[in-house]
Amino acid sequence: MVERKVAVIVGSLRKASLSRRMAHALIKLAPPNLKFSIVEIRDLSLYDEDAESAGPPASWVAFRDAVRASDAVLFVTPEYNRSVPGALKNAIDVGSRPYGQSVWSKKPCAIVSVSPGALGGFGANHHLRQSLVFLDMPVLQQPEAYVGGAAALLADDDSITTEGATKFLSGLTTAFADLIERVLAKSP
Ligand code: FNR
């Protein structure tokens, strides 16, 4: 199968982030033609149109280049106050500008929300989905992934501890690979 480059955006800045660990678990479970690289959002300064006009910061340019060079995007994020963490929203805003040059446009994507709690980040997942629809990204519709109780699902080596979750998350990566092929087949 043709190799596809997937940019992984992790919504948490925390070293021991469950979302980051879940991203590593997903990478291990995914079809081998998907080549993942985590694109870091930590160093992106807050989006400011004045900074854009003055000549965008190097961190924005590098981030935009990295996403632009990918075929698809995987978002793995925690929920903060029933929405996405500010750092992730900022990364989305940075990638969406200058107007008419969004790096997100038409890129197939998938969302996995992650929480130690029971609801699995449903609010973050859907707030993120709202932005991605506006940004014209074909978002994986099914399966939806609201990963609750994430601490118990992750082993020390970031593999998944239960057979059920392994099967579900592996199926998700396969569905994502299928979406990528469907979307890229139709691209000019
Ligand atoms: C949280 N947390 C949280 N959890 C949740 O399920 N729904 C929520 O709305 C929130 N809100 C929230 C706000 C803020 C500011 C923080 C710092 C945390 C808890 C959160 O899920 C938990 O800290 C995760 O471990 C964060 O994800 P990472 O860093 O482990 O990926």
Side-chain angles (χ1 to χ4, degrees):
M1 276 185 95
V2 184
E3 283 191 3
R4 302 298 186 192
K5 285 186 238 162
V6 182
V8 182
I9 313 277
V10 176
S12 170
L13 304 182
R14 199 167 76 87
K15 272 200 202 84
S17 160
L18 293 168
S19 308
R20 184 172 289 264
R21 293 176 60 202
M22 185 58 67
H24 287 298
L26 288 160
I27 290 168
K28 285 194 238 182
L29 291 171
N33 72 306
L34 299 186
K35 303 296 172 197
F36 295 89
S37 50
I38 295 183
V39 179
E40 300 294 345
I41 63 174
R42 167 180 296 284
D43 294 330
L44 298 174
S45 49
L46 286 179
Y47 189 77
D48 172 355
E49 289 192 85
D50 290 339
E52 190 85 80
S53 309
S59 62
W60 295 4
V61 174
F63 178 78
R64 289 167 178 167
D65 286 349
V67 175
R68 200 181 286 109
S70 68
D71 296 306
V73 184
L74 172 64
F75 295 94
V76 187
T77 187
E79 175 175 83
Y80 278 7
N81 299 309
R82 297 285 181 261
S83 186
V84 292
L88 175 56
K89 181 59 167 57
N90 185 53
I92 288 166
D93 295 341
V94 166
S96 72
R97 294 280 153 155
Y99 183 76
Q101 297 172 47
S102 167
V103 297
W104 307 115
S105 188
K106 313 268 189 249
K107 283 202 198 295
C109 68
I111 303 169
V112 177
S113 55
V114 177
S115 175
L119 300 181
F122 178 88
N125 192 305
H126 280 265
H127 277 186
L128 180 55
R129 206 167 277 265
Q130 179 172 315
S131 293
L132 303 187
V133 168
F134 175 69
L135 291 167
D136 201 16
M137 299 184 83
V139 187
L140 182 68
Q141 305 293 349
Q142 294 292 340
E144 300 163 282
Y146 315 108
V147 182
L153 282 179
L154 286 160
D156 287 347
D157 66 352
D158 295 346
S159 59
I160 300 293
T161 53
T162 72
E163 203 179 314
T166 303
K167 198 169 163 202
F168 173 78
L169 293 168
S170 165
L172 178 135
T173 62
T174 305
F176 185 34
D178 290 346
L179 173 71
I180 295 169
E181 293 315 311
R182 280 203 306 280
V183 172
L184 294 190
K186 290 185 181 158
S187 301

